Amino acid sequence: MKKKLSIIIPAFNEEKNISHLVAELNKALNSTGYDYEYIFVNDGSKDNTLNEIKLQAEIQPNVFYIELSKNFGKDYALKAGIDMANGDAIITMDADLQHPPHLLPQMLKYWEEGYDIVYTYREDANPHVSGFQKLASKLFYKGINAISDITLENGISDFRLLDQKVVNELKQIDEYEIFFRGMVKWVGFLQIGIPYTPAARHTGEASYSFFKLAKLAIGSIMAFSVRPLYIATGLGLFFSLSALLYIPYIFISYFYGYDNLSGWASLIATVAFFGGLQLLVLGIIGSYLGKIFLQTKHRPNYIIRSTNLLKAKNDSVRV
Ligand code: UDP
Ligand code: MG
């Protein structure tokens, strides 16, 4: 029997890219000798994306859609697709053609050689992102690597192949906040990376704003590390111990008759400084507490409004 590939594509306002992507993927996969299916996850698009996918599904019986009830974010859309896919391998990729389909044969080759995860990472010289974006991305990967127990390549992307056994593990993970790139590294297995140069977006704009990205970055770090909590404790300890050094100074200046009032300004400065430090530490602790709160509510990662995948028996399934 032929092995089956499930290609999972999260799509948010990608109406002009769908048909083009399907055509490109057909071209790349036709000659590989695998069965394959495309599972588009419509992540609450405001444009005609869903209809475009349905149109493709009418033309090609191996095109499927999962319509989420609103915009949940890319990682959640990916989770929705992965939970429903049953291929021998799963490939996740963007809808905007930034992930070059011509890498697919190489990915499949590694898979046949026995690798469980074939991931891709952007090569440094990427002509399509600004200098600021490059710097921000570099800082993010440096930060998350320094502070957590996983190591992510600079520019690691969501274009990857996952063997079924990896997918079965990923399906088990029940976390409120999902950072897929981290999770895929964390599960282990036999992994190999392929560098690539991303193409320009086929049409449309990248949909992540600066604040959305910053939130994502902080969230990802917090999802993979409690070390910021230890940093908070360390900072608190360091500054309170240093503050103790002030006591001998007060005694000495008293006995030698220095004018203590002259220390007023530095005193206020110190008080303000430690006030700020305490707020910072409380903030870090509070953020983790908030995450625990959200996790304990056990909300679903996503809600499906409709799908043409046979596995989903009725509409609006809660997963
Ligand atoms: N995407 C999504 N939900 C979102 C934002 C993006 O499903 O809330 C999809 C989008 O349609 C695309 C992929 O995620 O297929 C990558 O998005 P984008 O091109 O905006 O990001 P970038 O290329 O900058 O990583
Ligand atoms: Mg993109």
Side-chain angles (χ1 to χ4, degrees):
M1 219 176 75
K2 277 191 193 173
K3 284 188 193 166
K4 184 168 124 187
L5 311 173
S6 302
I7 322 285
I8 294 166
I9 306 147
F12 175 60
N13 297 342
E14 305 276 9
E15 57 180 5
K16 295 209 179 67
N17 294 329
I18 304 293
S19 61
H20 194 74
L21 179 69
V22 169
E24 289 292 311
L25 284 175
N26 284 343
K27 248 192 278 172
L29 290 170
N30 246 335
S31 54
T32 53
Y34 294 100
D35 273 339
Y36 51 89
E37 63 180 2
Y38 305 136
I39 302 177
F40 284 94
V41 186
N42 178 37
D43 187 17
S45 297
K46 299 269 181 288
D47 66 0
N48 223 7
T49 300
L50 184 62
N51 286 332
E52 281 294 321
I53 302 169
K54 285 182 173 168
L55 203 72
Q56 292 300 316
E58 274 170 31
I59 305 170
Q60 239 177 270
N62 63 342
V63 174
F64 298 98
Y65 64 85
I66 297 171
E67 181 198 6
L68 299 186
S69 63
K70 59 163 194 178
N71 178 255
F72 279 89
K74 183 188 184 178
D75 286 281
Y76 302 89
L78 278 173
K79 178 85 162 60
I82 283 181
D83 284 348
M84 294 215 130
N86 60 5
D88 295 290
I90 278 182
I91 294 167
T92 60
M93 69 192 297
D94 286 0
D96 57 7
L97 289 135
Q98 284 195 292
H99 294 156
H102 68 79
L103 288 186
L104 287 169
Q106 179 66 49
M107 293 169 95
L108 291 165
K109 194 166 149 259
Y110 278 133
W111 180 47
E112 288 296 347
E113 281 171 15
Y115 287 99
D116 305 311
I117 298 174
V118 186
Y119 61 91
T120 65
Y121 55 96
R122 290 191 305 266
E123 227 145 21
D124 226 19
N126 179 359
H128 304 294
V129 294
S130 67
F132 171 73
Q133 261 179 317
K134 269 184 208 166
L135 182 72
S137 140
K138 230 189 204 126
L139 281 178
F140 168 68
Y141 288 109
K142 277 237 153 63
I144 194 163
N145 288 341
I147 221 168
S148 64
D149 296 325
I150 51 168
T151 309
L152 294 179
E153 267 88 353
N154 199 356
I156 194 164
S157 83
D158 278 314
F159 184 23
R160 65 174 82 78
L161 179 148
L162 305 167
D163 186 84
Q164 197 174 37
K165 51 181 173 288
V166 178
V167 173
N168 288 339
E169 293 307 320
L170 289 176
K171 283 180 183 172
Q172 310 289 322
I173 294 180
D174 166 34
E175 284 182 26
Y176 166 76
E177 200 158 61
I178 303 180
F179 173 50
F180 239 94
R181 275 164 269 181
M183 251 155 58
V184 168
K185 268 278 145 151
W186 180 85
V187 291
F189 288 98
L190 215 53
Q191 310 205 0
I192 190 164
I194 306 178
Y196 77 103
T197 314
R201 228 175 189 286
H202 183 239
T203 63
E205 295 250 317
S207 41
Y208 281 104
S209 67
F210 173 76
F211 284 108
K212 221 168 153 187
L213 279 177
K215 194 172 155 239
L216 213 65
I218 294 173
S220 314
I221 288 175
M222 288 182 67
F224 271 88
S225 172
V226 288
R227 237 165 269 171
L229 279 175
Y230 304 149
I231 294 172
T233 318
L235 267 178
L237 217 66
F238 173 75
F239 283 112
S240 31
L241 287 181
S242 331
L244 286 183
L245 295 178
Y246 202 62
I247 296 174
Y249 167 78
I250 295 169
F251 277 110
I252 291 165
S253 48
Y254 178 77
F255 284 117
Y256 287 89
Y258 298 141
D259 185 3
N260 270 330
L261 252 188
S262 69
W264 189 82
S266 59
L267 196 67
I268 289 299
T270 318
V271 169
F273 178 70
F274 286 105
L277 191 71
Q278 280 168 3
L279 284 180
L280 172 79
V281 173
L282 274 178
I284 297 176
I285 296 170
S287 311
Y288 278 98
L289 196 70
K291 304 255 177 244
I292 297 169
F293 170 66
L294 291 170
Q295 177 78 39
T296 52
K297 289 206 279 198
H298 279 292
R299 290 241 179 101
N301 287 137
Y302 54 85
I303 297 170
I304 296 176
R305 180 164 181 274
S306 74
T307 169
N308 63 343
L309 276 166
L310 292 176
K311 270 180 77 182
K313 288 186 199 70
N314 50 10
D315 280 359
S316 83
V317 215
R318 286 185 60 156
V319 184

